[in-house]
Amino acid sequence: MLIDLCELSPSYVRSIAPYQPGKPIAELAREMGIDEAKIVKLASNENPRGIGPRTRAAIEAAIADIARYPDGNGFELKQALAKRYGVDMASLVLGNGSNDVLELVALAFLGPGRAAVYSQHCFAVYPLATQARGARSIVVPAKDYGHDLEAMARAIDDETYVAWIANPNNPTGTFVKAEGIEAFLRRVPERVLVVLDEAYNEYLPHELKADSARWVKRHPNLVVTRTFSKAYGLAGLRVGYALAHPSVADVMNRVRQPFNVNSMALAAAAAALDDMEFVARSYAENLQGMRQLEEGSTSLGLEFIPSHGNFITVRVGKASEIYKRLLRRGVIVRPVGGGYGLPEHLRVTVGTAQENDRFLGALAASLKD
Ligand SMILES: Cc1ncc(COP(=O)(O)O)c(C=O)c1O
């Protein structure tokens, strides 16, 4: 072959650094010859509680209709979400995970000659989605590991159409209070879509939870995204959504694939949304696990970034080396050097009390190796 086929894609696509997911348990088992049952994975901010019985029953019931295409409009799930948030169904966009919804924003509103603004240490999908559309990235230095919204507002130029904000942020767990978000919304030009990614919203204490749906009604340029992957325990099924002004939701819906959310995911999400007790327990257990990891890190003499999510980012020194030592002990966490710019930290998902213990024990040993 005379041509390099890779060269056929636009240069902005070729220069994308691939997303690095958490290492799968089966892969580590294969590589190290460790029994899968002995591996602890705290690398992808999943819910260690799994799913509740009502959600499981809904998934099982959905099998009967699996030969049919799903409802491309996701009517039942949208109806339940519309009721929950007091919004019109036309304000909702469903996605194959909230990643899909983020991609839809980029697809609908970014392109060559346009720019998106985001923070240093932000969620990896923002640079990825921006670059894949040939749009320019405006990266603003973080303040105390979190979003510096004033600096982000100042960095917006005439070509900026999107501002990506995760609140709480992944991988740092930092959080901007409602006043900060409101001030940012007042300040940015109406042309700029503010994407407020609330993937970890359910892990916030009640007093920090903002009424995001009300914000969306007040600010037509605000898109709020949420997911069923975290507190609802449905990461493997892939379902997330956006709340947006109907005209914004309309263009996002035009560029999505007709059946982007599968029927099992739709049924599971509708059931999970109803199971408030499961989410409340997930919240409470996460809080306990977080304290366990905070205290464990402190007793090992390690600093951590105070987190509002279901994960904690701990400063361990030579993180890439400690990561490998943990792998050898059957514990998978997430290194956040590389694209995230935190080479001395490891991000650890809050697991069950037992999993957290395993991690802390393995960490203590790995620091001594
Ligand atoms: C901040 C943030 N947004 C969005 C997502 C995407 O989650 P999903 O596509 O599973 O909904 C994640 C996943 O880790 C995340 O951390």
Side-chain angles (χ1 to χ4, degrees):
M1 191 163 296
L2 293 175
I3 52 167
D4 176 356
L5 295 176
C6 184
E7 296 282 324
L8 298 177
S9 77
S11 60
Y12 56 79
V13 172
R14 268 181 282 138
S15 56
I16 290 174
Y19 180 78
Q20 301 282 349
K23 196 177 194 59
I25 290 178
E27 188 178 300
L28 181 64
R30 267 195 314 273
E31 285 173 2
M32 303 257 176
I34 308 176
D35 179 357
E36 279 195 26
K38 296 208 172 108
I39 294 174
V40 168
K41 185 185 174 205
L42 301 173
S44 301
N45 301 345
E46 296 142 340
N47 189 335
R49 301 193 73 232
I51 53 171
R54 277 151 65 178
T55 304
R56 184 176 299 277
I59 293 170
E60 280 164 10
I63 294 174
D65 257 344
I66 214 73
R68 298 197 183 279
Y69 282 100
D71 172 1
N73 268 324
F75 182 85
E76 276 177 33
L77 178 58
K78 273 194 191 169
Q79 195 178 44
L81 288 167
K83 198 166 155 215
R84 169 71 55 92
Y85 295 115
V87 299
D88 225 62
M89 279 169 72
S91 293
L92 288 160
V93 183
L94 302 182
N96 182 36
S98 58
N99 270 349
D100 188 28
V101 174
L102 299 171
E103 293 275 355
L104 295 179
V105 171
L107 204 54
F109 295 96
L110 291 176
R114 294 189 172 204
V117 64
Y118 53 81
S119 175
Q120 179 191 18
H121 313 313
C122 73
F123 181 44
V125 166
Y126 310 155
L128 225 151
T130 303
Q131 208 179 331
R133 298 294 300 139
R136 180 165 51 89
S137 288
I138 303 172
V139 189
V140 174
K143 195 165 137 191
D144 299 327
Y145 296 109
H147 292 76
D148 183 347
L149 290 186
E150 280 180 27
M152 283 175 70
R154 280 197 302 274
I156 286 170
D157 61 21
D158 289 347
E159 290 183 341
T160 309
Y161 280 81
V162 171
W164 303 108
I165 300 170
N167 203 36
N169 185 46
N170 171 20
T172 57
T174 49
F175 178 72
V176 181
K177 287 197 183 137
E179 305 87 84
I181 301 288
E182 279 171 350
F184 184 75
L185 286 168
R186 280 195 300 272
R187 198 160 159 192
V188 300
E190 271 182 9
R191 181 199 68 242
V192 179
L193 268 198
V194 177
V195 180
L196 187 61
D197 174 347
E198 298 188 329
Y200 301 96
N201 177 270
E202 291 79 8
Y203 292 108
L204 292 173
H206 185 70
E207 65 276 11
L208 289 186
K209 276 189 187 154
D211 189 350
S212 322
R214 195 165 49 92
W215 281 347
V216 170
K217 285 183 190 155
R218 223 186 297 149
H219 300 276
N221 59 332
L222 175 65
V223 178
V224 171
T225 64
R226 298 263 179 105
T227 183
F228 286 93
S229 298
K230 309 298 176 186
Y232 293 95
L234 293 175
L237 275 182
R238 318 296 304 124
V239 51
Y241 57 98
L243 298 167
H245 186 276
S247 55
V248 172
D250 175 38
V251 268
M252 287 171 68
N253 273 316
R254 281 192 238 174
V255 292
R256 77 177 168 83
Q257 286 183 33
F259 303 110
N260 63 332
V261 187
N262 70 74
S263 43
M264 254 186 210
L266 288 171
L273 187 68
D274 249 5
D275 196 347
M276 313 280 263
E277 197 192 320
F278 180 86
V279 176
R281 282 213 187 148
S282 299
Y283 167 79
E285 285 177 19
N286 183 66
L287 206 61
Q288 273 184 342
M290 185 69 85
R291 296 293 159 262
Q292 187 185 357
L293 291 177
E294 285 175 353
E295 283 162 22
S297 302
T298 304
S299 65
L300 290 172
L302 301 173
E303 285 170 24
F304 55 84
I305 307 172
S307 171
H308 290 83
N310 65 342
F311 57 87
I312 184 166
T313 297
V314 185
R315 189 172 196 167
V316 295
K318 271 198 113 196
S320 54
E321 182 53 37
I322 303 289
Y323 168 68
K324 286 187 213 144
R325 293 179 195 169
L326 286 168
L327 285 182
R328 277 183 232 123
R329 293 184 163 90
V331 176
I332 313 173
V333 296
R334 185 74 76 96
V336 282
Y340 285 116
L342 293 163
E344 296 197 344
H345 290 75
L346 289 175
R347 192 195 70 193
V348 186
T349 303
V350 176
T352 61
Q354 235 181 354
E355 289 172 331
N356 299 336
D357 244 3
R358 260 290 298 284
F359 159 71
L360 288 168
L363 180 60
S366 298
L367 290 167
K368 283 194 217 123
D369 274 353

